[in-house]
Amino acid sequence: MENVTRFDLTAISISNMLGILLLGVLLVGNFWRFRDRTQENVMLMLLMFFSFSNCLVDPLVYALDGHPGTFNRIVVYAGNAWLFFAQISAAVCWVHFFVRHLNGCISRKQLVLLSVVHLGATLILVINFFVPIVFDVDAQNVYCRKYLFFLFAALNYLLLLDSVVIYFMSRLRGGSLKFFPVWVFAVPVMVGGIVQSLFYGVSVTAVCLAISVAGILASLQNELIYRDALTGLYNRCYFDYLLKLYSKKKVKSITGIMLDLNAFKSINDKYGHSVGDQALVSASRIFRVVVDDLGVVIRYAGDEFIILINSQEDSVIASCMSEVRRTLQDFNRTSGVPYKLAVSMGSCKLDFEKFNVDEFINEIDRRMYEDKKVFYTANSEFDRRNR
C-alpha cells in the first residue's frame, strides 16, 4: 500500500495549473490552425484534449486519495482509470500525427497495430474495474499500483520508440528530406513517465505531455517558412535549401521529377479558382501518398510540382512516375469531381559533376515540356497557342 503522505498536493496542483495555462495559451495562439480539420489537426486537437483532461483530473485524484467515502472512492478509481486511458490515447494520437505529418498518410498495417494497442489497453482498464491488475483503491481509498502498472508504462514507451524508429527510417530513406524534430514530443513525455513511474507522489506526466504538445506546435510554426499554405507541401524555399545542401555534400542519390498539371487553366476557367484550388490540393495529396517516405514533394510554382526521390535506380524512377499516373486515373474514375487530373512529367538524376543547380532545374523542366508537347498534340483544344 502507498502512503498518502508521500506527495505534496500543493506542488501537484500548481504544476498541473501551469500545464492548463500553457495549453490555453497554445489553443488561443493556434486557433487559426485548428479551423482546418485535417487528420493531422484532429490528432493534435485530441492530444491537447487528453493533455488538458489529465491536468484537471490528476490533482483531483491526489486530493481525494486516502479520504473515506463512496463518492471519493468512485472519483479516485474512475480518475486514475482515465489517467491511464488518456496517456495511452495521447501516445497513439502522437504516432498517428507524426506518421501523417512525415509521410502524408499512414499505412493500413500501422493503423491496425495502433488500434490493437489502443483497444487492448482499454480492455485491460475495463477488466481492472472488476479484477484489479493495473491499480487498486483499498478500503481507505488509497491508490496503489498492481503488477500490470508497468505494462502501461512499457506500451507508452514502445509507442514513443516506434515514432523514433519511423523517424530514423525516414531519414535513412530520404536523407535530409525529413526534418521534423521527433524529440520535441518524445523526450519530455519519456522523462516525465520515468520519473513518475520510479517515484510515487511525484506527478509530472500531465504537465510533461503539455510541454510536448507545446514543442509540436512550436516546431510546426517554425516549419511554416518551408510549407506551402494551400497544399501543405514543402515550398520552393525548402527546395532551394535542399539543393544547396546537396551541392555542398555532393549528394549522388537523388532524382528530380518535375510535374505540371495538364489543362489546369481550363479547370479555373470552367469551374472557378476555388475548384482549381481543390484540384491542386487533391493532386498534392495524391503525390504525397505515392511518394510516401521515398522522398519529398514540393509545390514549385502554380500548378508545377517537383518530386525529389532518394534513388537513382531506373526501375524506382519509372515505378514512381507510373504510380503517379495510375493513382490519378483512379482518382478521376472514383472521386466524383467535375474535373480530371493529369500531369506531364520529366525526370533527371541529380549529378553535380554534370549539372549545377540551375542546369538541373532547367533539365527536368525541359524533359517535362517534352512530355507536355505529347499531351498538347493529342489534346490541341487545351493548347493556349491555338487560341
Side-chain angles (χ1 to χ4, degrees), residues 33-224:
R33 182 190 304 279
F34 296 123
R35 288 183 295 182
D36 184 9
R37 296 299 177 90
T38 63
Q39 287 293 324
E40 285 186 26
N41 284 345
V42 169
M43 291 300 112
L44 277 177
M45 286 189 287
L46 286 172
L47 264 173
M48 293 189 74
F49 167 73
F50 289 124
S51 180
F52 182 82
S53 67
N54 275 11
C55 288
L56 285 176
V57 174
D58 193 50
L60 178 62
V61 296
Y62 273 102
L64 298 181
D65 189 276
H67 292 273
T70 302
F71 174 79
N72 292 340
R73 180 177 181 81
I74 292 172
V75 173
V76 171
Y77 218 111
N80 278 290
W82 174 259
L83 291 174
F84 278 99
F85 174 78
Q87 287 165 11
I88 198 73
S89 298
V92 169
C93 288
W94 157 249
V95 177
H96 266 284
F97 161 80
F98 185 69
V99 174
R100 289 182 185 278
H101 186 74
L102 208 61
N103 301 326
C105 61
I106 186 167
S107 69
R108 185 178 298 274
K109 181 179 179 181
Q110 287 172 319
L111 280 174
V112 170
L113 178 61
L114 290 173
S115 297
V116 169
V117 171
H118 197 214
L119 290 174
T122 303
L123 179 60
I124 291 173
L125 287 174
V126 172
I127 295 172
N128 190 78
F129 279 104
F130 306 97
V131 182
I133 51 179
V134 180
F135 70 89
D136 195 11
V137 178
D138 65 17
Q140 287 74 43
N141 288 347
V142 175
Y143 164 90
C144 54
R145 298 168 177 173
K146 293 295 184 178
Y147 54 91
L148 286 189
F149 166 85
F150 288 101
L151 172 64
F152 269 78
L155 287 175
N156 278 289
Y157 299 145
L158 286 173
L159 287 169
L160 293 175
L161 180 61
D162 182 44
S163 66
V164 174
V165 170
I166 290 169
Y167 173 78
F168 279 109
M169 288 178 63
S170 182
R171 289 296 296 260
L172 287 173
R173 293 175 183 174
S176 299
L177 300 180
K178 313 295 185 181
F179 65 96
F180 187 86
V182 65
W183 313 110
V184 298
F185 182 87
V187 170
V189 171
M190 282 185 174
V191 171
I194 290 171
V195 169
Q196 189 154 325
S197 295
L198 295 178
F199 304 101
Y200 177 78
V202 177
S203 179
V204 292
T205 55
V207 71
C208 282
L209 179 57
I211 292 170
S212 292
V213 173
I216 293 174
L217 292 172
S219 298
L220 291 175
Q221 190 73 21
N222 292 335
E223 228 184 35
L224 288 178

Side-chain angles (χ1 to χ4, degrees), residues 206-266:
V207 71
C208 282
L209 179 57
I211 292 170
S212 292
V213 173
I216 293 174
L217 292 172
S219 298
L220 291 175
Q221 190 73 21
N222 292 335
E223 228 184 35
L224 288 178
I225 191 174
Y226 291 127
R227 290 282 184 179
D228 175 62
L230 176 64
T231 63
L233 298 177
Y234 292 113
N235 58 21
R236 188 166 179 172
C237 182
Y238 187 56
F239 177 72
D240 293 341
Y241 158 76
L242 283 179
L243 289 190
K244 288 179 183 177
L245 181 65
Y246 295 152
S247 178
K248 290 179 181 178
K249 294 185 175 181
K250 301 299 181 183
V251 174
K252 295 183 179 180
S253 60
I254 302 297
T255 298
I257 304 172
M258 180 168 278
L259 309 90
D260 186 85
L261 293 182
N262 292 331
F264 179 70
K265 185 177 184 300
S266 67

